Amino acid sequence: MNKKRLLIAAIALLLPSLSPLPLASQGVTTATISAKVRDASGNPRSGVRVTAVHQPSGTVYQGRTRDDGRATLPGMRIGGPYTVTASAIGLASETQPNVFLTLGQTSDLQFVMRTTAVQIQEVTVTAAVGSEKILNSSRTGAATTVSREALATLPTITGKLESIVRLTPQFGGCSLGSGCTIAGQDGRMNNISVDGTAFNNSFGLGGQPGDRTNVAPISLSAVEQMQVDVAPYDVRQGNFVGANINTVTRSGTNRLQGSIGYSRRDQSLVGKKAGDLAFDPGVFKYKNLGGWLSGPIIPNRLFFFTSIEDESLTQPGTTWLANTGGQPTVGNTTRVLASDLDALSTYLKTNFSYDTGPYQGYNNQTPAHRFLGKLDFNLNDQNKFVLRYNRLISSADILESNSNSLGVNGNRRSNVNSLNFANSNYGALENIESTVGELNSTIGNGMANSLIIGYTRQNESRKPKGQFFPLVDIQEGVGGFTYTSFGFEPFTPNNLLFYNTLQFQDNFTKYTANHDFTFGVSVEKYHSENTFFPGSQSVYVYNSLADWYTDANGYLANPARTVSPVTLARFQVRYNNIP
């Protein structure tokens, strides 16, 4: 399947009273300072140099005031602190330290400069401006911003997106496969962007990246700021209905620093009683070993940041238990007899060389490996370049599907009526690689350009748990409920899914006295390859375990004969003549 989406915004006037034209999925990665300079009489002063220095990295941003006394410094690193200085010949310089910038927002600074005819000491004005500032002249709608400090201290079990997104007032809950509901919209209607490029589960089998294996695709320790925008009036953001969940990863500074951490949990933290009923939680082990390192390669010019995590989760594949005979079907005890399953497994191994695997007491594994590397290069005072690469390698063991789309009643997954064998389950992959390059440039006085190119490829294929063998559902008793299942999971044969996204976007902005003009182009090319061949292993359904043995014994006696319509309730096999 091939899709090309080309959305071009020709000219958008960024006025509070006008809604901008929507672009393709993209996010904002930087912040802006708008400095207004006046003299002692309140008149605007032109030609004043405004210099902002990012103290941790020494990165310098400069601009000059226009005739209206305003200077705009776009494409700046988020966070801080910044020291911002306004200076001009014949005027006493003014400095505002401890300025912090918020993702996608413009911080308004005011300077009053006085004429000086003699050498006097520099006047310093102390202020804290930035992340706590709720109102500014260019705020583009309801948004919740989570800072690096909050990300480092907020409690989270999974480290996934929903742990942070729930802080926004419009949050309505998250579910695996559907994403996070925001502003009443289905989570799949959100757009997730990382460093300015879309980072979604584009094929739609999950609500967000990581949903296929239920792991976080990027470590929270590698995130600088996260912002949830609801209906932003910003031409650079679009292609979503619920919210734009915008993330910017961390960058290095002039200081060499890092962190390493280890966390774990196990079944000793899980309850062992449900009311008065005893409950065995089984084996449950989680561990996460990871860390990050950042610093300068060339002080004030070139910086690096890298993050790596190794995570593993072991948990019970099922907590349902076979009935040893005469037990009531309460708690996690099923109606399925252990003696039936033991005899069936032995029969299949002896006569068909098929290994069913265990039906209880087995564990599922979910390993995940995350890596992120980032370079920030100050080419000069006018051009800043960023290159980021991140990778997720993960897989998860999953119980076989309950779907009845093959004409089977379903309900084969372990429950009070049914207990399937482990080798009828399957594994799912979620491997993601993403590379993004960004160039932010200041052009002359009052013009800026942002160029972003990104490429993401994803692998969400399935992998089988056992050997290729027909799927057999055995029903037993009134209601047509499945009693047990064995064989190859019905939707896993040759189930492959690969897709990639190439993105290009460029935004040119001209700042004038009363308006900001943005000219932009955004191109996204999406390509996917999906093989889905359910039922190709053949599917058998029997009304009872006795019927299965009758048919199996008949086959062993005469392999050339056809199956008996008396014992076989349903049979299906699919073929595909497309090479």
Side-chain angles (χ1 to χ4, degrees):
M1 179 174 57
N2 289 280
K3 292 193 296 184
K4 290 185 178 180
R5 290 174 284 181
L6 175 61
L7 295 174
I8 301 178
I11 301 177
L13 301 179
L14 301 183
L15 294 174
S17 60
L18 297 179
S19 298
L21 300 175
L23 276 175
S25 303
Q26 49 184 310
V28 180
T29 63
T30 59
T32 302
I33 283 179
S34 177
K36 178 72 173 181
V37 180
R38 295 172 295 171
D39 59 21
S41 301
N43 299 315
R45 292 301 303 256
S46 63
V48 176
R49 179 183 294 275
V50 178
T51 303
V53 180
H54 183 251
Q55 294 300 320
S57 67
T59 304
V60 177
Y61 303 87
Q62 290 186 345
R64 287 187 180 275
T65 57
R66 302 180 290 273
D67 291 340
D68 61 346
R70 188 175 296 277
T72 304
L73 279 62
M76 302 179 67
R77 276 195 186 196
I78 56 177
Y82 280 88
T83 298
V84 185
T85 302
S87 59
I89 297 176
L91 298 175
S93 297
E94 281 202 16
T95 299
Q96 294 191 23
N98 301 320
V99 176
F100 289 85
L101 304 184
T102 301
L103 175 62
Q105 298 297 321
T106 298
S107 292
D108 294 325
L109 304 183
Q110 301 289 331
F111 293 88
V112 177
M113 304 186 70
R114 292 171 173 79
T115 302
T116 178
V118 296
Q119 185 71 30
I120 61 174
Q121 186 177 359
E122 181 179 284
V123 177
T124 300
V125 178
T126 301
V129 182
S131 58
E132 290 78 21
K133 189 170 184 180
I134 303 302
L135 300 176
N136 60 61
S137 62
S138 65
R139 191 170 181 87
T140 62
T144 300
T145 302
V146 185
S147 66
R148 171 70 243 147
E149 292 73 19
L151 291 169
T153 55
L154 287 170
T156 174
I157 295 177
T158 64
K160 294 183 64 180
L161 198 63
E162 56 261 30
S163 301
I164 308 303
V165 173
R166 65 179 65 250
L167 296 175
T168 189
Q170 296 85 7
F171 177 79
C174 295
S175 62
L176 189 63
S178 297
C180 298
T181 298
I182 300 176
Q185 301 298 322
D186 187 287
R188 286 165 290 195
M189 298 294 102
N190 298 327
N191 175 60
I192 301 172
S193 61
V194 177
D195 292 332
T197 60
F199 194 73
N200 296 300
N201 187 289
S202 302
F203 195 81
L205 295 181
Q208 56 201 23
D211 269 6
R212 297 289 288 145
T213 53
N214 198 26
V215 300
I218 297 177
S219 170
L220 287 180
S221 65
V223 176
E224 179 65 30
Q225 280 190 19
M226 181 183 295
Q227 187 175 80
V228 181
D229 289 305
V230 180
Y233 292 89
D234 190 330
V235 69
R236 298 168 296 176
Q237 302 183 54
N239 200 33
F240 63 91
V241 176
N244 186 50
I245 304 171
N246 189 17
T247 298
V248 174
T249 55
R250 297 176 67 179
S251 297
T253 65
N254 279 328
R255 179 185 177 189
L256 182 64
Q257 55 187 336
S259 174
I260 187 170
Y262 176 77
S263 61
R264 65 177 294 275
R265 60 181 185 270
D266 58 32
Q267 62 271 13
S268 64
L269 303 176
V270 179
K272 295 181 173 58
K273 293 191 71 176
D276 295 329
L277 298 175
F279 173 73
D280 181 6
V283 176
F284 183 95
K285 294 181 180 179
Y286 170 84
K287 65 177 183 178
N288 184 304
L289 175 63
W292 59 270
L293 182 68
S294 70
I297 298 176
I298 303 175
N300 297 331
R301 293 286 304 277
L302 181 61
F303 313 92
F304 76 92
F305 177 90
T306 184
S307 168
I308 188 169
E309 281 188 352
D310 184 83
E311 178 181 291
S312 65
L313 172 63
T314 300
Q315 58 186 343
T318 179
T319 56
W320 292 100
L321 301 174
N323 200 308
T324 57
Q327 289 180 286
T329 55
V330 295
N332 60 337
T333 301
T334 71
R335 64 166 180 153
V336 184
L337 295 176
S339 57
D340 285 346
L341 299 183
D342 290 334
L344 179 59
S345 182
T346 300
Y347 184 93
L348 288 165
K349 184 68 173 179
T350 302
N351 294 282
F352 294 96
S353 298
Y354 175 71
D355 183 6
T356 63
Y359 53 83
Q360 64 184 27
Y362 61 90
N363 297 318
N364 284 347
Q365 306 290 334
T366 305
H369 310 278
R370 288 180 286 268
F371 172 79
L372 184 143
K374 188 174 182 180
L375 293 174
D376 289 77
F377 191 13
N378 297 332
L379 302 174
N380 49 48
D381 288 350
Q382 289 75 41
N383 298 281
K384 312 293 190 294
F385 178 72
V386 179
L387 180 65
R388 185 264 297 162
Y389 170 81
N390 72 279
R391 181 184 68 194
L392 169 69
I393 305 295
S394 66
S395 63
D397 295 331
I398 301 175
L399 290 175
E400 68 173 336
S401 173
N402 262 342
S403 173
N404 59 4
S405 62
L406 288 173
V408 184
N409 284 347
N411 300 312
R412 66 180 65 88
R413 182 179 292 176
S414 295
N415 55 63
V416 70
N417 291 307
S418 176
L419 198 58
N420 71 284
F421 289 93
N423 283 349
S424 295
N425 298 329
Y426 68 95
L429 302 177
E430 181 145 22
N431 299 334
I432 305 173
E433 286 187 277
S434 177
T435 304
V436 176
E438 178 178 6
L439 177 64
N440 289 301
S441 302
T442 301
I443 305 170
N445 189 28
M447 294 181 291
N449 191 79
S450 175
L451 171 66
I452 299 178
I453 300 176
Y455 177 77
T456 302
R457 62 180 182 179
Q458 293 163 267
N459 178 4
E460 295 180 12
S461 302
R462 287 193 183 192
K463 60 178 184 178
K465 296 296 292 182
Q467 65 202 83
F468 196 78
F469 195 81
L471 171 70
V472 179
D473 280 341
I474 297 176
Q475 300 175 347
E476 192 79 52
V478 179
F481 291 110
T482 301
Y483 186 72
T484 189
S485 299
F486 62 87
F488 206 85
E489 204 278 336
F491 302 99
T492 300
N494 300 311
N495 192 331
L496 303 176
L497 174 58
F498 306 92
Y499 56 96
N500 59 73
T501 306
L502 177 64
Q503 300 173 76
F504 171 90
Q505 53 189 285
D506 188 83
N507 293 310
F508 173 81
T509 302
K510 170 65 177 175
Y511 302 96
T512 65
N514 298 315
H515 307 296
D516 297 340
F517 296 87
T518 295
F519 304 79
V521 59
S522 178
V523 181
E524 180 178 314
K525 180 181 179 182
Y526 170 82
H527 174 77
S528 67
E529 297 179 10
N530 180 218
T531 302
F532 185 53
F533 202 0
S536 60
Q537 79 277 51
S538 71
V539 179
Y540 294 80
V541 182
Y542 289 89
N543 287 323
S544 67
L545 194 56
D547 285 349
W548 145 254
Y549 280 118
T550 299
D551 213 33
N553 288 326
Y555 171 81
L556 292 172
N558 181 14
R561 70 146 180 76
T562 58
V563 293
S564 168
V566 176
T567 58
L568 182 63
R570 192 177 297 109
F571 170 77
Q572 178 181 144
V573 65
R574 294 187 182 185
Y575 295 95
N576 192 337
N577 64 357
I578 300 176

